[in-house]
Amino acid sequence: MRILVVGRGGREHAICWALRKSPKVQELYCAPGNGGIAEVAECVPINEDQFDDIAQFAIDHAIDLVVIGPDDPLALGIVDHLEAKGLQVFGPRANAAIIEGSKVFTKELLRKYNIPTAAYESFSDYDAALAYLRQQRAPIVIKADGLAAGKGVIVAQTMEEAERALHDIMVAKVFGESGNQVVIEEFLTGQEMSILSFVDGEVVRPMVPAQDHKPVFDNDQGPNTGGMGTYTPLPHIPASVIEEAIETIVKPTAKAMVAEGRPFRGVLFAGLMITPDGPKTIEFNARFGDPETQVVLPRLKTDLLDIFLAAVNGRLGQMEIEWSDEAAVCVILASGGYPGSYPKGLPIEGLPDVQDALVFHAGTAKREDGSVVTNGGRVLGVTALGASIAEARAKAYAEADKIRFEGKHYRTDIAKKALV
Ligand code: AMP
Ligand code: GLY
């Protein structure tokens, strides 16, 4: 079969890497891809928002399935657009991708269907929001409604910080139109957990759970990033809690989307907090997580293409999906300055020395002479597998140390919580 993956990050590298293992995959393309994806797929210079060009490429190359990686094109209706041209696509349509694209929509859905989440109110009027905020106590969470490149959530430790965030979002419009509405939400405490599931309507097939590390520095210090590292499984979280999250949050949400006339097909990503009152929803994403995918897919034993095809053909419920018992740890190597501004085009050395880990490229470019240079904030994800988290973690760090580029930085405490 001929497959086209849309996206350019570590997530798409992991998806392409997993698809490459399928004996059914004859041609694999990625638009636009990156320096690492080029090793497993043919990269085509079409951006994620060029829907017409993506459709034309897929038609011209007789693509059997298009797989969408990132959130922005999903929210903008890439799936609807490609389906209208007769293409088969794995990913949610716009009316379902709204579960990530609008936090107000999702909070209202969760409230309507009694699905556990943080208490909240939403506002489109700044003065009303400010009046409500002033009746609350810090810490408190302020969220821009729309997509904001992962930066639209402010966990405010003081009321001053909360008021500033509200002003930035609604008045200064630092996230643009995404700030037309806000959610003001109760601060939840506990362990975070990501449960990604293959979903087709009411059929939910959970993947192995993972944990991300969002703040840029060790011990969760510093500003939030797209994610600095992940691991799976979560040995310190009881299986019953994971089961409870699937039964009380993920499955009811998929069902609620069907009831709303917005059946979800694709990967539904539940960001959860395990609070003293049980698991609660922090957010939903309408796609694979990045860098969750870089630890989850290496544990997948079933052919990923078979799962995608089952989902688009209404057979997901009958799929046998198998996972390995191994642990996986992914350490992200970031550019100096990230998540603020950072340089690009710096040479990366040591990649051929990595023997015992998978290196998923997040922000790299391949030069004509074959050398690989930095081209993004998160540059590489080094994923190691092992019999235990401790083993996978030691390997991931040992291999990550072999890679060099100017300004390289990473967290040294990925998966540390799971060692106790
Ligand atoms: P999001 O962009 O929605 O994933 O949020 C970014 C991060 O903010 C999450 O990973 C959590 O660490 C934190 N966060 C979001 N909502 C809450 C909440 N209600 N309580 C505590 N932390 C939160
Ligand atoms: N790692 C979090 C996300 O993909 O949104």
Side-chain angles (χ1 to χ4, degrees):
M1 298 188 79
R2 306 164 71 85
I3 314 297
L4 169 64
V5 175
V6 174
R8 66 174 79 200
R11 162 185 49 213
E12 288 77 22
H13 191 180
I15 293 169
C16 287
W17 168 84
L19 287 173
R20 203 17 111 196
K21 295 195 293 185
S22 169
K24 294 192 187 69
V25 173
Q26 186 192 345
E27 296 292 345
L28 181 61
Y29 299 96
C30 188
N34 67 33
I37 294 173
E39 306 283 322
V40 287
E42 185 176 325
C43 295
V44 290
I46 305 175
N47 286 336
E48 298 87 333
D49 59 355
Q50 295 175 276
F51 296 177
D52 282 327
D53 294 338
I54 291 170
Q56 199 54 53
F57 178 90
I59 292 163
D60 291 346
H61 291 77
I63 295 294
D64 297 295
L65 182 72
V66 187
V67 179
I68 313 298
D71 48 348
D72 283 315
L74 290 169
L76 292 170
I78 190 171
V79 175
D80 310 63
H81 193 93
L82 299 180
E83 283 182 345
K85 300 265 164 81
L87 294 158
Q88 207 167 38
V89 192
F90 180 79
R93 295 179 184 153
N95 74 348
I98 191 174
I99 200 163
E100 173 166 12
S102 169
K103 293 193 162 38
V104 173
F105 166 86
T106 302
K107 294 299 287 192
E108 283 171 1
L109 182 87
L110 298 174
R111 183 180 272 172
K112 180 172 171 188
Y113 291 88
N114 246 319
I115 296 167
T117 188
Y120 79 101
E121 289 301 330
S122 63
F123 300 91
S124 51
D125 178 68
Y126 172 69
D127 293 326
L130 186 61
Y132 173 81
L133 178 62
R134 287 185 169 158
Q135 293 162 9
Q136 310 302 311
R137 281 211 305 253
I140 188 147
V141 185
I142 316 287
K143 300 184 169 183
D145 175 54
L147 297 178
K151 294 178 188 150
V153 172
I154 290 92
V155 179
Q157 297 299 333
T158 64
M159 288 311 281
E160 292 75 53
E161 205 185 326
E163 289 198 20
R164 199 176 335 119
L166 188 65
H167 190 273
D168 283 350
I169 293 171
M170 293 196 89
V171 181
K173 289 267 158 83
V174 296
F175 306 118
E177 300 288 297
S178 285
N180 289 349
Q181 293 188 84
V182 289
V183 169
I184 300 179
E185 186 175 275
E186 167 198 13
F187 174 75
L188 300 174
T189 55
Q191 292 262 355
E192 283 188 59
M193 158 169 87
S194 305
I195 298 183
L196 285 63
S197 305
F198 298 106
V199 172
D200 178 23
E202 292 194 10
V203 179
V204 172
R205 307 301 302 275
M207 304 184 211
V208 289
Q211 206 166 48
D212 191 9
H213 299 67
K214 290 250 171 132
V216 66
F217 301 126
D218 282 10
N219 299 313
D220 291 338
Q221 301 298 303
N224 268 343
T225 67
M228 292 297 289
T230 40
Y231 63 98
T232 173
L234 313 179
H236 55 308
I237 296 178
S240 60
V241 172
I242 294 164
E243 196 55 33
E244 184 185 348
I246 292 165
E247 295 302 323
T248 64
I249 295 175
V250 185
K251 288 183 181 173
T253 300
K255 214 169 167 168
M257 291 295 279
V258 173
E260 293 292 307
R262 300 171 180 275
F264 189 99
R265 174 191 285 164
V267 171
L268 183 62
F269 169 144
L272 307 164
M273 187 77 85
I274 305 167
T275 75
D277 304 327
K280 292 191 180 180
T281 314
I282 296 178
E283 61 161 353
F284 277 102
N285 295 322
R287 49 167 177 85
F288 278 105
D290 189 341
E292 283 84 350
T293 309
Q294 291 91 310
V295 289
V296 168
L297 289 187
R299 291 187 57 200
L300 178 65
K301 291 187 0 194
T302 307
D303 185 325
L304 181 61
L305 179 60
D306 282 341
I307 302 175
F308 288 161
L309 292 173
V312 299
N313 293 316
R315 292 185 283 103
L316 187 61
Q318 291 108 60
M319 260 317 275
E320 195 64 46
I321 301 179
E322 285 190 275
W323 302 93
S324 84
D325 292 331
E326 286 167 303
V329 174
C330 174
V331 177
I332 296 291
L333 309 181
S335 290
Y338 175 79
S341 60
Y342 50 83
K344 286 185 182 178
L346 302 174
I348 303 173
E349 280 159 25
L351 285 172
D353 303 331
V354 177
Q355 301 291 334
D356 218 4
L358 299 159
V359 181
F360 294 119
H361 292 223
T364 70
K366 203 166 190 167
R367 291 250 165 98
E368 293 210 335
D369 63 5
S371 65
V372 178
V373 297
T374 66
N375 194 38
R378 292 188 292 178
V379 177
L380 299 161
V382 180
T383 298
L385 293 157
S388 64
I389 291 281
E391 191 186 316
R393 184 173 186 272
K395 255 194 229 174
Y397 278 111
E399 297 296 321
D401 279 344
K402 297 178 179 170
I403 300 170
R404 298 175 302 280
F405 57 88
E406 198 186 314
K408 166 184 134 179
H409 71 96
Y410 56 93
R411 278 181 64 155
T412 65
D413 62 348
I414 302 302
K416 213 171 170 180
K417 278 193 212 110
L419 293 178
V420 286

